Every structure is written in structure tokens, then in C-alpha cells.
Amino acid sequence: MDGVPVKDLPPRPGTPLLTYEQIWDNYKYFLDRVVPVAEAAGVRLAVHPNDPPAVISRGNPQVLASVADWKRLIDTYDSPANGLTVHAGVTPEVGHDAVEFLRYVGAKDRVNHIHYRNVTVDKPRERYAEVFPDNGETDMFAFMRELVRQGYDRGVLAEHPRALDFDRENGSIGGQYAGVGGGGHGGELYDTGYARAMLQAALIMERGRRPVLDDAEALVNRFYAAGAVKLADRARMRASLEAADRLAEQSEAAIDRFADVAEGVDDAEARASLTSMAAYLKAQLPT
């Protein structure tokens, strides 16, 4: 949060100073004993990354202050019960793309909770500001859409509401965020409504577009299996389909690339079918 002094704070009296690896050893000791119990109980643990993501806090290294740390955490104990609160806001705070990291964690089945907020960043880790969800570094629609693609069905918290005039006028601003531009109940409703709108839009895009792209990929694979499409062309067309599905604004160019490859296929039947499919994909694009 912009304006909150956290850098170079002195150690608290009586708190031991440990090395980075000593803290990791302690963390591993904890995970080795707690994660099996969570597995047996059907519980998925979700650790929140350091926020603010200072590398050193009050003299002690922080073991969850970078993307490398978060990856190390989920590799330390290999279990879906040992997961993360994947954070749309903290991830850009450390200078990393939130959607890309969500995709990485989702591939490992470790997305156990979601915090859904946005930030602008002037200097990673040191100078950033929490903002309304549609104003920051993270593409919040792409983030929500990736959750839908993964079939994520756990909690999404639209947190840290910004202050609204409604809350100022009604005296409802309070709590730990009041001094840093935080909001009240109106802000919470705004963020929750925004998250719900992004979810509905993502569901529409996935349900409406994914089956069509799946059909296109199946057609490519069928002609490849029959020897009518070369391996390299198959790879290029599949890559284009994947790109077309990530973000709506990328779809037209990606489908054009698919069509270019299809038009160069030697086999006449495959060429005709694939170019026809490209035209159909183009017709399905949102207007």
C-alpha cells in the first residue's frame, strides 16, 4: 500500500534473527507435519504471499516475497493440500504477470484460494498503490477467465475496497485500510459486483468459444493422423488456437495465423476443410 513505511524497520525486541535458509528449514518442518493431516482431512491449505513483499522485514529475510519463493513452497511438499492464495494484486507488486503465474500454479493444481484486487506499480516491491480493480496492472478479466478455464471452484475474495464518496458521506469508512484510501461497505459491494461481472463474462466466453476451438483442434489432429498435415503445421495451428482462446483481443490475429497455415497445406481435402474451419472460427468472434 502506497505511503505505508515498511522498509528498514528495526527488529522487534526479543525476536531472533535467522537466515533465509533457517526460516525455510522451519517452514519445511511445519509442512512435513501439517500437510499430511490436511490431506487426511480433505483440507487444502492456502498460504498468503508476503504483502508488502519486502525481502527483509524487521531484520529477518522473508521466505514468501518473490515468485521464486512461491514456486519453492509448492515444490517443498508435493501435494494439492500445500497450495497458495494466488493474488492478482501482490503478483504485480513483485514485478510479475498475475495471469501467467495463475496459469503456472493451476497446472500444478495448487490454486487453493484467490485474492482479487489490482494495483499500479511504479517500482516493484517498493512503490505501488492499490486501485480500483479496473485501473491496475492485472488484466482482471483474463485472470478470471483463467480461473474458469481451470475449473476453479473455491473461494474468491474481492478484497481491499477503495474509498467511495458514498462511504465517506455515510461515515462507513473504517478498519485497517481507512488511512490508505480504503473503503467501506459501498466499496466492498463495488468490488464484489465487479468480480461477479467478470465471472459472468468469463463463463460466457468459455462456454461459447471453447467448444468451437476444440472442434478446430480435433480437425487438425484428424488430418495429422491421416498424414495430410505435417507435424510443424499441426504445431503452428494448435499454437494459434491456444492463443485465440487466451484473450478476446488476440483472437482475430491468431485465427488469421491459423488460416495462413491451413492455406499452405498440400493435401487438397485437408486444405479445404481447414480453411473453411478458419472462416467459421472468424465468424464466431465477438463483434
Side-chain angles (χ1 to χ4, degrees):
M1 290 171 282
D2 191 28
V4 179
V6 297
K7 189 176 181 181
D8 300 327
L9 291 173
R12 295 186 183 278
T15 300
L17 297 180
L18 303 175
T19 68
Y20 178 80
E21 289 302 328
Q22 283 175 323
I23 297 174
W24 266 112
D25 288 343
N26 290 344
Y27 203 173
K28 184 177 185 304
Y29 178 91
F30 170 83
L31 293 175
D32 287 344
R33 285 152 182 80
V34 172
V35 175
V37 178
E39 289 177 330
V43 171
R44 295 178 69 120
L45 303 172
V47 65
H48 193 293
N50 283 108
D51 185 28
V55 177
I56 302 290
S57 178
R58 293 193 176 275
N60 270 305
Q62 301 300 291
V63 296
L64 292 176
S66 71
V67 169
D69 290 337
W70 307 341
K71 290 180 178 180
R72 179 173 179 175
L73 166 74
I74 60 180
D75 290 339
T76 296
Y77 196 107
D78 186 15
S79 167
N82 175 38
L84 291 165
T85 294
V86 180
H87 209 301
V90 177
T91 309
E93 288 173 17
V94 300
H96 199 89
D97 181 77
V99 180
E100 189 279 332
F101 183 67
L102 173 62
R103 192 173 293 122
Y104 173 88
V105 182
K108 293 179 175 290
D109 190 23
R110 303 299 185 86
V111 184
N112 291 354
H113 191 219
I114 291 294
H115 278 187
Y116 194 73
R117 65 173 174 83
N118 216 340
V119 294
T120 56
V121 180
D122 293 325
K123 184 177 182 181
R125 287 195 176 84
E126 294 190 17
R127 186 169 182 81
Y128 56 88
E130 297 181 4
V131 295
F132 286 95
D134 56 337
N135 289 343
E137 309 288 333
T138 296
D139 183 334
M140 301 299 277
F141 174 64
F143 190 93
M144 184 65 79
R145 192 169 180 211
E146 180 60 28
L147 289 175
V148 171
R149 291 185 66 185
Q150 292 180 17
Y152 177 77
D153 60 359
R154 288 173 281 278
V156 175
L157 175 60
E159 59 165 5
H160 298 199
R162 300 294 84 209
L164 297 176
D165 286 344
F166 171 86
D167 291 309
R168 294 188 183 97
E169 293 163 0
N170 288 276
S172 60
I173 292 178
Q176 61 181 319
Y177 305 115
V180 288
H185 300 311
E188 291 174 344
L189 289 172
Y190 178 92
D191 286 359
T192 301
Y194 181 91
R196 291 287 298 176
M198 291 297 98
L199 174 59
Q200 292 304 310
L203 287 169
I204 289 170
M205 291 294 290
E206 282 303 304
R207 291 170 179 169
R209 290 160 49 78
R210 185 66 252 179
V212 178
L213 295 172
D214 284 344
D215 288 345
E217 184 169 357
L219 186 65
V220 171
N221 290 337
R222 178 165 67 83
F223 282 120
Y224 170 73
V229 168
K230 298 176 183 177
L231 177 61
D233 288 342
R234 173 185 180 234
R236 291 169 61 195
M237 283 189 281
R238 292 178 67 180
S240 297
L241 293 173
E242 182 178 349
D245 192 42
R246 285 180 184 163
L247 292 172
E249 58 266 29
Q250 294 178 347
S251 293
E252 185 170 358
I255 293 171
D256 284 341
R257 292 195 296 271
F258 178 95
D260 288 343
V261 178
E263 290 170 0
V265 170
D266 293 334
D267 184 271
E269 180 187 356
R271 183 171 62 253
S273 295
L274 291 169
T275 53
S276 177
M277 174 59 78
Y280 179 68
L281 290 173
K282 200 76 169 285
Q284 300 306 308
L285 288 173
T287 57

